[in-house]
Amino acid sequence: MMGKAVRERFEELKKNALKDFPGMDGKKGITIYVGTATCGRSAGSLEVLSSFEDILKTLNIEARIVQVGCHGHCYAEPMAVVSKPGWPPIMYGYLTPNRAQILIRRFFNEEDPALEWALGAMEENDIVPTVYETPRWSRERRWLLKNCGCIDPEDINHYIAVSGYEGLTCALKIEPLEIIEEIKKAGLRGLGGAGFDTWKKWDICRDAPEFPKYLICNADEGDPGAFMDRTILESDPHSIIEGMIIAGYAIGAESGYIYVRKEYPQAVSVLTTAVYQARELGLLGKNILDSKISFDIKINQGAGAFVCGEETALIASIEGKRGMPNPRPPYPANRGLWGKPTLINNVKTLASIPKILVYGNEKVSSVGMEGCMGTAVFALAGKIKNAGLVEIPFGTTLREIIFDIGGGVPPIIKVSNVAGELPKTIKKQFKAVQIGGPSGGCLPESLLDTPVCFDTIVETGAIMGSGGMVVLDEDNCAVETARYFLEFTQKESCGKCTFCRIGTKHMLNILADITQGAGIMEDLDLLEELAETVKQGSLCNLGKTAPNPILTTLCYFREEYEAHILDKRCPSLECKDLIAYYIIPEKCQRACDACVGSCPTEAIYTRRDRLKAIDQEKCVKCANCMDACPAQYDAVIKISPISQLPESEPRDDNRSN
Amino acid sequence: METLSLTINGKEIVAEKGKKVLWAALENGIFIPHLCSAGENSLPFGGCRLCFVEVEGKKEPVASCTEEVTDGMIVNTRTASVLRLVRMAFELIMSRHPIICRECPANKKCALQDISREMGFKLKPKKLPQILPDLPVDDSHSLFTYNPNLCVLCGLCVYICNEIVKEAILDFNFRGFITKVGTFQNRPLAKAKCNSCLKCVEACPVGALSRK
Ligand code: SF4
Ligand code: SF4
Ligand code: FES
């Protein structure tokens, strides 16, 4: 009986929502969607937005501007979709305030859609190729990101108009155990990184005898280079809220928390609005959609500790204590927040729930691979052409993600200072990909054909983690990469347990020594032993995974460690203490002094033969001269080991530099 | 009370249901190194990582202060994989702990000396260099001193202050290697207006908290 009333109530909401929803089809007039999530804003989308407003006013064009979230194509921000009657909706990238103005003038005055700035159309048509045909979109399977960038996250009616809260309506029609069964059949695993079966967690929590129960959405994304959760929080907050209501119903919890880091101010504000609007429409609070179910959400801001992503530390933090992990068992599902059974799921896991109920488990589990069904979202960053978010079926290989979707490693472009001469493109080789952030591992080219899934990635020594993928190229040193991540984990260690608090410090010191050329071969054995014991002995997953960057680089790039130690050489020419900048006399040009002014320490002097040279005593290795040297000469190089530096030529005493 | 039997290092022992392996062993005269466990009835802290044992059927050593006894359980406290971990944990602790026993207020009643004697570990780390932090000593209180450089972060004082005395003066400050015990906003102890019960000083297993 409950089902019917719920459905009616939902249809009412949807009818109402559709009234005002502009849609992409242009039927309701001209609409311009501007992406104003954090990535867009930092690329200048707010300026683009006001530029659109200005020009529309000047030209007296009646149009609606909608602020939307992020499509995940962060590399092309600022982005906008222009939907004009008679045309398919067209997506534009790399906008500037100026381009926005020109675009509108051309499109609306001259019927010229300025296709050179277009990424593609958002709908099938005969005029403009669609974005879905591009290599990136064609391989993606957008379920979690489906609404991101297409709806206004601060208007609940947009979400409802695109069938949001439909999953909840389906869920309320069936029994909690049937929901859990559905999740089980869909094969959903914890997308926060651990990959634990979601249904099992729910089931344990549901079976726990104590009441009340709590539900927590873990939105404490803290890995450097990861921003999947932020995008979903900012672009499609209701998918999380809807997932939480369903989860609450399934396990018998009536209150939920969203634990979101304070460093995501926009996410916090979007969520606050979303929760408020959901309450207004009766989707949160007592008797949701006129059913007997009640559920409400509180937003909790974390104070910026990486360790609070760990379940037990997160709970301590919500309770107002210092965010420190506790031994498990007892697991939160039995004894969590305020000592009560608590379910903690990641943002992406919860956002998947409504989709499973709407699509049905067969559809979801038909995608992916054995043991890992459905899709995964990755954040591509580092030395990659198309940085941003990608959502792919599990089982896609790393190579496909990095090269086919991400566009591979971008070259370096060096500009010549001769008029008319083309810039020089210097190709860069792929070296490794760091998966799973500071807790993950560094995988070389030879492992790129690994299909992505929780279990296959663990076999390589990395972890799936929450989905950060940082691409490294030939200029990135493996030892320095490990050192960088260890510095992060050491600072973020909560300080509770011996292995993590002190062990990571020793490992960091050893790595620092090696990058400075002060390492010895015995260090490698000690490093390995420390890494293994810290991994085994630490209390929580922060410590248990902190050695992964070391263990994987030691395994796949051991020769680089050895080069640093034995030859005092950094093969990637990155470690400052092991390199020197040098101007090749044969390439240096007498008439040029482009490098001289670029040097912050006046280390560049003129030799007796009027060529330039670097005073190594003064050089601070900032690389400015290398960038300043025009492409047609390209005379500045890095040399490692420093002992290979040719002897320096005397200075021309008649000159000041 | 329900009891069950288990073997530790080949010795058959009887323990109450719900008891942790650490306490079952200690009560039966079997030494397992430990610093941070506040007693049977407290929630385990799990910080010192010295109390590892091997339980037959489990892939990896487990912390005995969190592991409940089960019937027929077979426990070993000195296997190679246990010793590898415990030795390293002890080395790590000693690598940031100055070895100044003769000047230390806890000399001869120090848990680190006990572990060293019982386990045959040297106090001075063999593999690791010492990294001694030079943190300021809090001498402000009229009755006791806190020297963070001697602190092993076992958390016993924090536990006593918050859960037993319920004064809630002490907690941990900072993160990472420089984590220390301190008051709210790391103010001097004298400013924290504690009731001077000195229970934290009694609890400290080393010389970090000492009477004046
Ligand atoms: S592993 Fe690190 S973060 Fe986790 S409890 Fe130990 S010290 Fe804290
Ligand atoms: S002061 Fe003593 S009791 Fe307190 S944490 Fe340090 S070593 Fe433990
Ligand atoms: S006594 Fe078990 S970890 Fe300290």
Side-chain angles (χ1 to χ4, degrees):
Chain A
M1 237 12 247
M2 174 152 116
K4 189 147 170 252
V6 167
R7 175 58 56 190
E8 273 169 22
R9 181 82 191 97
F10 172 73
E11 292 302 338
E12 225 175 88
L13 288 180
K14 186 155 179 181
K15 211 165 113 201
N16 197 37
L18 282 168
K19 263 190 228 152
D20 188 47
F21 182 61
M24 287 255 173
D25 51 15
K27 284 202 187 100
K28 290 202 179 134
I30 304 162
T31 315
I32 299 176
Y33 299 82
V34 185
T36 52
T38 298
C39 47
R41 286 181 190 213
S42 51
S45 67
L46 290 181
E47 289 75 29
V48 169
L49 179 83
S50 56
S51 175
F52 272 125
E53 281 167 351
D54 290 348
I55 184 74
L56 291 168
K57 209 156 142 210
T58 320
L59 298 182
N60 233 336
I61 300 171
E62 198 159 311
R64 183 161 162 194
I65 296 191
V66 181
Q67 294 194 33
V68 293
C70 164
H71 285 278
H73 293 240
C74 308
Y75 61 95
E77 292 283 5
M79 290 169 67
V81 174
V82 179
S83 158
K84 179 184 174 194
W87 288 85
I90 303 176
M91 179 190 260
Y92 296 91
Y94 310 100
L95 289 173
T96 58
N98 197 20
R99 279 191 187 170
Q101 302 236 351
I102 302 173
L103 168 65
I104 296 297
R105 276 182 204 279
R106 278 170 62 185
F107 205 175
F108 290 86
N109 286 350
E110 299 155 29
E111 285 293 310
D112 159 19
L115 286 183
E116 68 272 28
W117 298 329
L119 300 172
M122 303 285 290
E123 259 166 33
E124 290 292 335
N125 67 91
D126 307 329
I127 327 167
V128 188
T130 67
V131 285
Y132 310 108
E133 293 154 42
T134 60
R136 185 178 175 113
W137 291 72
S138 67
R139 285 173 189 265
E140 280 196 77
R141 178 80 59 127
R142 297 192 150 232
W143 284 353
L144 276 172
L145 301 179
K146 179 177 136 266
N147 295 332
C148 294
C150 298
I151 59 169
D152 179 353
E154 304 207 56
D155 187 344
I156 188 171
N157 282 330
H158 279 217
Y159 182 69
I160 298 178
V162 296
S163 296
Y165 289 105
E166 172 99 44
L168 174 65
T169 313
C170 301
L172 291 179
K173 272 191 308 204
I174 54 179
E175 291 299 315
L177 281 177
E178 293 177 80
I179 300 179
I180 297 181
E181 189 59 27
E182 193 68 16
I183 306 292
K184 181 177 178 179
K185 283 196 189 134
L188 181 66
R189 295 172 68 174
L191 297 172
F196 192 76
D197 286 327
T198 304
W199 74 269
K200 255 192 221 154
K201 238 182 170 177
W202 289 30
D203 213 38
I204 299 171
C205 196
R206 186 184 160 69
D207 279 347
E210 265 186 277
F211 282 95
K213 295 177 184 176
Y214 295 103
L215 169 67
I216 300 174
C217 168
N218 184 350
D220 192 48
E221 182 177 56
D223 297 18
F227 45 92
M228 303 73 49
D229 293 358
R230 187 192 71 207
T231 301
I232 299 176
L233 290 162
E234 287 179 355
S235 310
D236 196 15
H238 286 284
S239 64
I240 302 158
I241 295 175
E242 187 182 358
M244 286 180 75
I245 306 170
I246 299 172
Y249 170 49
I251 62 162
E254 294 197 339
S255 34
Y257 292 80
I258 302 180
Y259 187 89
V260 55
R261 53 196 308 233
K262 208 180 157 116
E263 294 90 331
Y264 282 176
Q266 202 184 341
V268 173
S269 114
V270 169
L271 277 173
T272 311
T273 312
V275 167
Y276 175 79
Q277 292 181 347
R279 234 178 252 148
E280 291 280 284
L281 291 190
L283 290 159
L284 280 178
K286 288 220 169 336
N287 302 93
I288 291 169
L289 290 174
D290 295 341
S291 70
K292 294 204 180 65
I293 308 304
S294 305
F295 187 78
D296 213 336
I297 293 177
K298 239 180 108 174
I299 296 167
N300 231 283
Q301 294 189 45
F306 179 64
V307 71
C308 286
E310 174 79 22
E311 291 187 343
T312 50
L314 190 157
I315 288 175
S317 171
I318 295 184
E319 288 176 346
K321 301 188 193 133
R322 177 177 162 101
M324 264 185 167
N326 281 308
R328 295 181 305 178
Y331 285 94
N334 289 312
R335 209 192 140 129
L337 186 62
W338 320 115
K340 301 292 179 208
T342 304
L343 173 70
I344 306 184
N345 276 152
N346 164 268
V347 168
K348 284 167 286 175
T349 316
L350 287 166
S352 307
I353 305 294
K355 272 122 211 158
I356 293 177
L357 286 154
V358 174
Y359 296 164
N361 69 62
E362 290 91 6
K363 177 166 171 188
V364 174
S365 59
S366 69
V367 163
M369 64 187 275
E370 184 68 37
C372 271
M373 297 170 211
T375 60
V377 183
F378 284 100
L380 288 178
K383 306 282 180 63
I384 185 127
K385 222 185 249 160
N386 303 333
L389 293 188
V390 291
E391 181 172 2
I392 38 100
F394 277 109
T396 309
T397 65
L398 290 170
R399 193 182 301 281
E400 286 172 287
I401 299 176
I402 294 167
F403 287 93
D404 300 342
I405 302 177
V409 177
I412 291 184
I413 312 278
K414 243 196 131 179
V415 194
S416 147
N417 65 355
V418 178
E421 197 162 310
L422 285 178
K424 199 159 141 191
T425 323
I426 307 161
K427 275 223 179 101
K428 289 290 169 186
Q429 275 291 318
F430 170 89
K431 173 176 214 161
V433 55
Q434 171 80 21
I435 303 181
S439 332
C442 209
L443 307 182
E445 163 99 45
S446 59
L447 287 175
L448 283 186
D449 293 313
T450 313
V452 164
C453 128
F454 294 103
D455 313 313
T456 48
I457 297 289
V458 166
E459 274 166 36
T460 64
I463 61 162
M464 237 319 259
S466 51
M469 256 192 207
V470 182
V471 177
L472 310 177
D473 72 2
E474 60 186 69
D475 294 341
N476 294 109
C477 167
V479 191
E480 169 57 24
T481 304
R483 194 204 61 78
Y484 169 83
F485 283 115
L486 253 290
E487 188 171 24
F488 179 85
T489 34
Q490 157 58 214
K491 273 203 196 116
E492 291 296 335
S493 159
C494 81
K496 184 172 192 176
C497 77
T498 304
F499 281 104
C500 175
R501 180 181 74 247
I502 310 175
T504 53
K505 178 75 176 176
H506 280 284
M507 295 194 285
L508 175 62
N509 282 1
I510 295 175
L511 290 171
D513 278 353
I514 297 177
T515 57
Q516 288 160 12
I520 50 172
M521 282 308 272
E522 288 72 38
D523 281 349
L524 295 187
D525 300 329
L526 182 58
L527 192 59
E528 210 152 17
E529 187 179 347
L530 275 166
E532 282 163 10
T533 45
V534 170
K535 187 171 180 154
Q536 213 182 10
S538 290
L539 172 63
C540 84
N541 276 331
L542 190 155
K544 281 182 177 300
T545 55
N548 284 345
I550 298 182
L551 288 168
T552 47
T553 47
L554 268 177
C555 170
Y556 302 120
F557 299 98
R558 198 179 186 96
E559 69 290 348
E560 288 199 23
Y561 280 86
E562 288 169 0
H564 283 75
I565 296 173
L566 299 173
D567 314 336
K568 308 289 169 224
R569 176 172 63 90
C570 175
S572 318
L573 302 173
E574 190 186 7
C575 295
K576 276 196 180 170
D577 292 293
L578 302 184
I579 57 166
Y581 285 82
Y582 176 68
I583 299 176
I584 304 173
E586 292 74 32
K587 287 191 170 183
C588 179
Q589 165 59 241
R590 286 200 174 81
C592 165
D593 58 2
C595 57
V596 176
S598 75
C599 177
T601 58
E602 298 183 355
I604 297 172
Y605 63 88
T606 307
R607 313 183 341 171
R608 291 213 180 109
D609 54 9
R610 286 176 35 241
L611 296 173
K612 301 283 179 284
I614 299 172
D615 180 346
Q616 298 296 335
E617 300 281 295
K618 286 192 189 165
C619 172
V620 289
K621 305 182 187 177
C622 68
N624 279 5
C625 55
M626 200 164 178
D627 296 337
C629 184
Q632 73 271 28
Y633 308 137
D634 205 8
V636 185
I637 56 162
K638 293 190 257 188
I639 289 183
S640 181
I642 298 180
S643 57
Q644 304 227 323
L645 201 65
E647 218 166 285
S648 61
E649 288 287 324
R651 171 190 295 269
D652 179 354
D653 293 327
N654 302 326
R655 286 176 167 250
S656 61
N657 61 32
Chain B
M1 194 159 297
E2 210 180 316
T3 57
L4 28 82
S5 63
L6 64 154
T7 357
I8 305 184
N9 295 351
K11 181 173 169 188
E12 185 126 345
I13 62 175
V14 177
E16 287 154 33
K17 190 171 178 235
K19 195 178 271 295
K20 303 291 190 299
V21 173
L22 174 66
W23 298 100
L26 292 174
E27 278 160 22
N28 283 280
I30 299 168
F31 182 80
I32 296 176
H34 64 283
L35 282 174
C36 72
S37 195
E40 274 192 72
N41 301 320
S42 66
L43 273 180
F45 183 72
C48 74
R49 316 312 284 162
L50 285 166
C51 66
F52 281 106
V53 297
E54 202 162 283
V55 174
E56 246 181 63
K58 299 216 174 194
K59 270 200 310 245
E60 293 197 337
V62 292
S64 61
C65 67
T66 53
E67 194 73 13
E68 273 184 26
V69 292
T70 57
D71 205 25
M73 188 181 217
I74 302 177
V75 181
N76 273 298
T77 67
R78 302 275 169 114
T79 64
S81 55
V82 166
L83 285 177
R84 182 174 191 233
L85 279 179
V86 177
R87 199 170 258 139
M88 185 56 95
F90 192 69
E91 284 242 335
L92 285 167
I93 292 171
M94 296 315 295
S95 74
R96 72 132 283 180
H97 189 93
I99 300 165
I100 44 164
C101 297
R102 252 181 265 155
E103 307 147 38
C104 175
N107 194 13
K108 304 244 160 72
K109 44 186 176 46
C110 162
L112 297 172
Q113 291 175 336
D114 293 346
I115 294 169
S116 150
R117 186 173 6 93
E118 293 281 346
M119 300 299 292
F121 298 161
K122 288 254 162 1
L123 280 176
K124 190 166 177 283
K126 266 203 303 219
K127 292 183 180 161
L128 300 171
Q130 282 207 308
I131 316 174
L132 301 177
D134 189 14
L135 300 168
V137 174
D138 187 341
D139 215 5
S140 63
H141 198 281
S142 57
L143 298 175
F144 68 102
T145 309
Y146 172 63
N147 182 350
N149 302 308
L150 291 174
C151 174
V152 294
L153 271 308
C154 70
L156 289 177
C157 55
V158 175
Y159 168 77
I160 300 277
C161 186
N162 288 271
E163 305 297 327
I164 307 293
V165 188
K166 300 209 187 293
E167 272 285 271
I169 299 290
L170 297 179
D171 206 331
F172 299 98
N173 293 146
F174 309 118
R175 264 180 260 170
F177 189 68
I178 54 165
T179 308
K180 64 180 276 293
V181 168
T183 62
F184 179 63
Q185 293 190 330
N186 201 24
R187 295 201 192 110
L189 281 164
K191 290 244 166 81
K193 302 215 176 66
C194 82
N195 72 6
S196 302
C197 70
L198 300 192
K199 289 273 193 285
C200 58
V201 180
E202 273 165 43
C204 183
V206 296
L209 283 165
S210 58
R211 272 174 203 269
K212 284 200 166 162

